[in-house]
Amino acid sequence: MLFGYQTVRPDSSDDEVTNGRRLLVAYAALEGYTLGEIFLEWTPGTSFSALSALVVTAERCRVRTVAVPSALDLGRLPRVQELVRRKLESGGLTVLVLQSMEPQAVRRWSA
């Protein structure tokens, strides 16, 4: 089983959110995972309630992998991305970033 994590910012368009969800669904199907839940962070930069819920739920359900549509779902700044990744990894999770800046990776995981 795989969990997803996605950040929805005030400036996120409906298309961006939908495309991120499609990317998570497509990746899970392609790699043979069951997509258990997509945790949506609605207020980035605050308490990260969805992130905390993801870590607790993953531990309870023994899920070890979380995918994010892009590194920006972990945070806008590289330092924040690193801290969020560390929080997930400290909970025993492997973090998969589906889109990178490399065109090949974007094409490979596009829904």
Side-chain angles (χ1 to χ4, degrees):
M1 183 178 292
L2 166 82
F3 283 161
Y5 178 75
Q6 187 176 10
T7 301
V8 181
R9 293 181 172 76
D11 61 343
S12 296
S13 70
D14 290 344
D15 285 343
E16 288 174 314
V17 176
T18 300
N19 289 339
R21 292 177 71 84
R22 285 184 183 148
L23 191 61
L24 292 167
V25 169
Y27 175 81
L30 182 65
E31 295 297 324
Y33 284 101
T34 298
L35 182 59
E37 176 92 25
I38 299 174
F39 291 81
L40 294 176
E41 197 70 71
W42 290 97
T43 314
T46 58
S47 65
F48 292 104
S49 59
L51 185 69
S52 297
L54 186 155
V55 172
V56 169
T57 306
E59 184 177 332
R60 187 178 68 238
C61 297
R62 297 189 177 132
V63 171
R64 295 289 165 239
T65 307
V66 62
V68 296
S70 76
L72 290 175
D73 288 290
L74 299 174
R76 288 195 180 196
L77 300 174
R79 178 70 177 143
V80 174
Q81 292 172 4
E82 179 184 336
L83 291 171
V84 171
R85 182 185 290 270
R86 282 187 189 174
K87 178 174 177 66
L88 292 167
E89 290 172 347
S90 72
L93 291 161
T94 299
V95 180
L96 304 174
V97 178
L98 303 185
Q99 286 186 335
S100 71
M101 300 308 283
E102 300 171 28
Q104 304 90 334
V106 172
R107 278 197 300 273
R108 181 173 178 205
W109 303 122
S110 293

